[in-house]
Amino acid sequence: MFEVALKALFLLLYATFVGFIFMGIIRKVSARIHRRVGPPLYQPILDTIKLLSKKSNITHGLIYDFGIIYALGATILALFFIPIGSVSILRAYGDLILITFLLEIPMLGIMFAAMSSGNPWAGLGAQRALLTLLAIQVPLGFAIVALAEFYGTFSTYQIVMAQQVSGWSITHVSLLLAAIAYDIVLQAMFGKEPFDIMIAPGEISLGPMVEFGGKHMGILQIQHAIALFAETLFFSNIFLGGAVVTIFASPVLNTIASLGILLIKQIAVLMVAIFIGNIFPRFTIDQAAKFYWKWPTIIAALGAVLASL
Amino acid sequence: MDWKLWEPLIEFARKRSLWIVSFCTGCGGIEMPPLMTSRYDLERFGMMPNPAPRMADLFLITGYVTPKTLKRIIITYEMQPDPKYVIAHGSCTINGGIYWDAYNAIKRLDAYIPVDVYIAGCMPRPESVMEGINKMMEMIENGTADSWKRYKENYEWYKKNQDELFGEGWREREAKRWIPWIMDDLKRVEKEREKND
Ligand code: SF4
């Protein structure tokens, strides 16, 4: 029991730290793409400290506070279900559908808080976010179906183990199609450029984020860091082979090696998202809904059909 | 928990992550995009333009201020959470600049909201804006950037000046200003519909 709590704490600290560095990488790489110097890698940590140390804070009632905590809690729960090499806690229950569901719950928490603030921009942003959430379900569902059909299981850990034997998922044609569809969906889950319609800086102020200031925004930054970590981790687990290293004699070395391999894969996933995000302008919400119900859906459905043959 | 111990770290974070609320007034607004883009990249210091006042720390007033804009500036300033800093930019904010005899420009911004750093020039080059921001960072570090405290302590004085300019109860009047116009419009639309029916 004590050991599990210790593991959970380690996982949480690791995920938060790496998530913040990921946010720094996003800003740094974007800056380099624009030929700028960009902020230092630890910039998001400073931002969070500053936001948490604000002296005055506004609140719009109970739901406004609760929504933020709810989002953070759901993200942490999602993180615990995803296998991280050999460290994870609840990986035996790490069901594909459960994890995809839990990764979308934080958005609902943010929506609760945004809607209860009564700001019209926040309401507009919440509507857009919910429509995006609705649109990405279709390709996401097909991608999950393709995976489950191919491996005959819903357990993420078993999928990782199966990939140790039969090679990465993306080396099979059917799952490559599913991975492409999932990667397009990932762009909306990160809130990166072609599909950052729910936040839309400049277009609708900041969308749902417009009323959050001070400590609420600080907690949301932490939530965003963990979510970034969890989403990239989930993708590299189910499509890029995860990492279970057993070549070293000592379990500590094995753990460090598998964390390192996972980190490289996560950064690769992140880089694709940054490059796409920096060269495409934003879609309008109707274009995004149409897009998601067309190309990614077709690709993922094709993958699902191929996987079941 | 003793927060005194963490104070240097917090001050460092405040100094290195000033988020600017993008409120571009006057001609100086044109000087903001060059500051953020690749030549004079302000993101090196962790600064970010931000469309939402609730998240912002730094308020750059970039030029002459008309009473109509000043109402919005005051409301935006009051929306920001507490350690918040103001940089006034351009000669117009100091003494009216070339609009010294205009009936519709504010001569002294300092009488309505507190200002930490002034940058003179018409308009200042990005280098001088960066110099001003550098000064701002120094002031945050040694704790002399206290305009938000001054606004709280001397609120009566600021409120008196604001009310003198706009008249008592200007916030409500400003909010209700459009209602008669919208009602007239509604009536007109209804009348037209009746005529068509
Ligand atoms: S100081 Fe000069 S550039 Fe700046 S707002 Fe006034 S007139 Fe325009």
Side-chain angles (χ1 to χ4, degrees), chain B residues 27 63-64 90-92 98-99 121-123:
Chain B
C27 339
Y64 61 85
S91 314
C92 284
I98 58 167
Y99 300 111
C122 176
M123 53 186 55

